[in-house]
DNA sequence: CGAATAGTGTCTCTTAGACAGTATGCA
DNA sequence: TGCATACTGTCTAAGAGACACTATTCG
């Protein structure tokens, strides 16, 4: 049998049906707290439970396109604002009993977005919200989405260390203090303002000055801050390491 | 429709057929060079081309189990030796035209193994070899496996920086010089012997002494080296960073 | 004016890396 | 005996983090 005959005789239905979905762990920062995009499922399985936005991959889109489509559907975002959202593949979850319907393999993605409008529930959901991640523990999540979220949060914390992706939580122009607030929010503890400031400016390509400053000082006083935009570095050298956590090492 | 009715009425065949495969980028060190496990495909598509070991995920195994099975089939490994091989998920590749037969989503894995016997071709292959990665450029690889291998090699180089996984390329007991050889081989450039030695011993939990030494000194002279085994650290603190590569940062 | 904040200076401690030096064991 | 190698000592430069200080702006 040559290659052409083989392809002609080939029937995909001979293989066991596996469904492939994409799920999105979308993070943003609102009111100084890290928030996560969740939908409430309208249909079984897990109807009424909170879940990550996601769904079956369509025949005409690759995995990243599917994830971006799901994100667009739930956030109502499009165009330039959607394109500015950072999206990366997180990991793939393929346990045997993830979904009671059939074997479902889910390719999870991770998204970083600046503060966005309240989401609108798409057809497969009856509600959609930005939920503070601190409120997660009390929620019953569908499927293994709790595990996926944990992995996404850890990836996010780690990515801030060695990439400039913290800037993706901010508007194109930002102050060093706003950037520090992103780190403090994602890592969950305060950083030394002076040392952070010097460190950020010393890493080549992390930020570049716009020459401008904010219109006003801080709400409770203080000078106007200089404005920066993201630089051209894709990795931070040297990295901004999280304060060492002995526990997590072993 | 309640949840039970829904599940009863649910027909998986309503969804477009997507196949899910696992592929394995298996690395080992032979004769001081980094080697990669490749098979030569016996059947179309890409019959006769070299490819990563892999195949369809079976209904009764999760993704990691599928990857370990594929690895076992091609290496002939089993039991304790197989269990000692480090295996982690790498990334998932789901481009539209990866496979001419149908939509195939492949979950790639990365494996680190000590020097193993020559592989034996399994049923779906007519040859299997450990190929030095330096010889890759001249080979025509099936599917998008060249891209997957590139990603795997970069992940391997990066993992040596902040995890103790270099020890997985070695037998359970090893010398610091052997460990240094792993780093030099994977990173592709020489390291300073004295500084490396001190650094490894100074990272908590990286290696622990067995109390024993090698039977003989080096082939060309020198004292006997002390033997170590892997410690209990899962992350290296502080990390062993590769010499900075300005080019790759931007 | 008082308080909060942006940004800088300086000191200390740790680490990376260069280099040198000693002891060991093979040919 | 000569040489390669295991391992340790020491110095320097860079970076992390603590602390102090100045300047600016809001209420």
């Amino acid at each position: 049998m040559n290659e052409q005959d083989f392809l002609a005789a080939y029937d995909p239905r001979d293989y066991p049906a596996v469904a492939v979905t994409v799920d999105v762990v979308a993070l943003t920062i609102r009111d100084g707290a890290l928030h996560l995009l969740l939908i409430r499922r309208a249909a079984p399985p897990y109807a009424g439970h909170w879940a990550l936005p996601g769904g079956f991959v369509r025949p005409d889109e690759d995995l990243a396109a599917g994830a971006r489509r799901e994100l667009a559907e739930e956030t109502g975002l499009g165009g330039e604002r959607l394109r500015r959202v950072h999206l990366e593949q997180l990991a793939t979850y393929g346990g045997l009993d993830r979904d009671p319907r059939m074997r479902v393999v889910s390719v999870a993605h991770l998204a970083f977005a600046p503060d966005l409008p309240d989401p609108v529930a798409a057809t497969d959901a009856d509600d959609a919200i930005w939920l503070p991640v601190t409120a997660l523990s009390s929620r019953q999540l569908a499927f293994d989405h709790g595990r996926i979220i944990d992995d996404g949060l850890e990836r996010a914390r780690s990515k801030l260390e060695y990439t400039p992706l913290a800037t993706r939580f901010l508007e194109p122009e930002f102050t060093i203090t706003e950037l520090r607030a992103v780190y403090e929010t994602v890592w969950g503890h305060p950083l030394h303002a002076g040392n952070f400031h010097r460190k950020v400016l010393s890493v080549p390509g992390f930020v570049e000055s716009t020459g401008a400053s904010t219109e006003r000082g801080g709400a409770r006083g203080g000078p106007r801050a200089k404005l920066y935009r993201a630089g051209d570095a894709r990795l931070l050298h040297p990295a901004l390491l999280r304060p060492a956590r002995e526990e997590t090492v072993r």
Side-chain angles (χ1 to χ4, degrees), chain A:
Chain A
M1 202 195 245
N2 66 23
E3 188 119 353
Q4 285 204 333
D5 290 344
F6 175 88
L7 288 176
Y10 189 88
D11 183 1
R13 297 274 151 157
D14 293 345
Y15 288 85
V18 180
V20 175
T21 62
V22 285
D23 288 316
V24 183
V25 178
L27 303 177
T28 194
I29 293 176
R30 283 196 152 190
D31 311 320
L34 189 61
H35 283 63
L36 168 74
L37 182 61
L38 288 181
I39 61 149
R40 194 165 57 206
R41 292 179 58 84
Y46 291 100
H49 284 67
W50 292 93
L52 295 173
F56 295 97
V57 178
R58 297 184 180 168
D60 61 340
E61 66 188 7
D62 64 21
L63 300 170
R68 205 169 282 272
R69 174 181 52 76
E70 292 290 345
L71 192 60
E73 286 175 7
E74 305 297 342
T75 60
L77 228 58
E80 178 59 22
R81 300 270 303 168
L82 179 63
R83 216 170 309 122
R84 273 218 308 273
V85 173
H86 168 73
L87 188 70
E88 68 180 48
Q89 200 184 96
L90 175 58
T92 298
Y93 299 81
L96 293 176
D97 298 313
R98 299 185 61 245
D99 191 310
R101 291 168 290 183
M102 64 186 298
R103 182 77 187 268
V104 175
V105 170
S106 177
V107 184
H109 288 71
L110 180 64
F112 297 166
D115 195 357
L116 298 178
D118 278 316
V120 286
T123 52
D124 55 340
D126 59 19
D127 200 3
I129 53 165
W130 288 108
L131 183 78
V133 297
T134 52
L136 269 174
S137 51
S138 59
R139 307 273 165 151
Q140 278 275 3
L141 292 171
F143 308 109
D144 52 359
H145 288 186
R147 163 84 190 288
I148 297 176
I149 290 166
D150 288 344
D151 292 349
L153 292 175
E154 177 51 32
R155 171 78 68 89
R157 286 189 282 262
S158 166
K159 278 268 170 169
L160 292 207
E161 292 191 299
Y162 59 93
T163 73
L165 291 173
T167 59
R168 299 301 202 97
F169 285 107
L170 299 170
E171 296 300 321
E173 298 200 354
F174 51 84
T175 67
I176 301 295
T177 297
E178 288 166 346
L179 185 61
R180 175 164 52 83
V182 172
Y183 276 89
E184 292 177 330
T185 301
V186 176
W187 286 351
H189 49 71
L191 299 174
H192 187 285
N195 290 339
F196 181 87
H197 198 107
R198 181 185 15 239
K199 168 79 189 184
V200 166
L201 295 185
S202 76
V203 175
F206 190 1
V207 299
E208 59 186 33
S209 177
T210 65
S213 293
T214 52
E215 293 285 313
R216 297 180 37 87
R220 291 184 293 179
R224 297 174 190 173
K226 291 178 189 159
L227 286 168
Y228 297 85
R229 55 175 156 260
D232 62 353
R234 290 181 308 162
L235 294 173
L236 303 183
H237 262 309
L240 271 118
L241 297 178
R242 277 178 277 185
R245 321 121 287 168
E246 278 305 320
E247 336 76 62
T248 69
V249 172
R250 301 300 165 88

